[in-house]
Amino acid sequence: MSYCVYAAIKLLQEKSFHISDIYHQELCDRAIDDLLNNQHRQGEPAKLANCAMGNARKVLVGREKFWVHCPDIMDYAPSNDSYEHLVMEIKDFIEKSNLNPGDKEVLVHLLEGFEAEDIASLLSTSVKNARVRISRSRKQALKLWRGVA
């Protein structure tokens, strides 16, 4: 593997670490795969990474065209507007965020439908303290979601 490809992969991995949505995560994964399949490439690492992202975009756009032109399969295609999809996106954001593990735990329990009383019993604390932790966890997650933190 050339140093240029290695550096480009490293750039994509760093970018991938900060991505919270699935589409862009898959885009980065496909770009890294493209670089791994073509390890002989030479050039500026940023340009190699950009080229690999372009190739990955072509694959994903081609997949979208396939879904659009096959109406029978559309019945099985996941809906981006569904509640399950939203929960999956938020859970993925929580897992990849740099929130502390305690906040992550509280937020995942909330996504699973737990109430403050349930979380208090899981964390072996009072309901009042659980509500405070819930509030702080939500506040930290909202800061990250909006890109403030």
Side-chain angles (χ1 to χ4, degrees), residues 18-34:
H18 299 291
I19 294 175
S20 60
D21 68 293
I22 293 172
Y23 175 81
H24 288 97
Q25 184 67 44
E26 185 172 358
L27 202 62
C28 279
D29 289 344
R30 285 190 173 275
I32 290 170
D33 287 343
D34 182 56

Side-chain angles (χ1 to χ4, degrees), residues 5-6 9 14 16-17 22 25 27 32 37 41 57-58 66 68 70 72 80 84-85 109-110 112 125 134 136 140 148:
V5 170
Y6 172 78
I9 289 173
E14 289 171 0
S16 173
F17 182 73
I22 293 172
Q25 184 67 44
L27 202 62
I32 290 170
N37 290 332
R41 289 183 180 165
R57 251 183 232 101
K58 289 175 194 171
F66 173 77
V68 169
C70 297
D72 296 337
N80 287 342
E84 292 82 15
H85 182 79
H109 288 315
L110 286 172
E112 292 170 349
T125 186
I134 290 169
R136 289 179 181 165
Q140 289 302 316
V148 176

Side-chain angles (χ1 to χ4, degrees), residues 66-81:
F66 173 77
W67 285 105
V68 169
H69 295 308
C70 297
D72 296 337
I73 295 176
M74 285 305 291
D75 296 335
Y76 304 104
S79 169
N80 287 342
D81 297 332

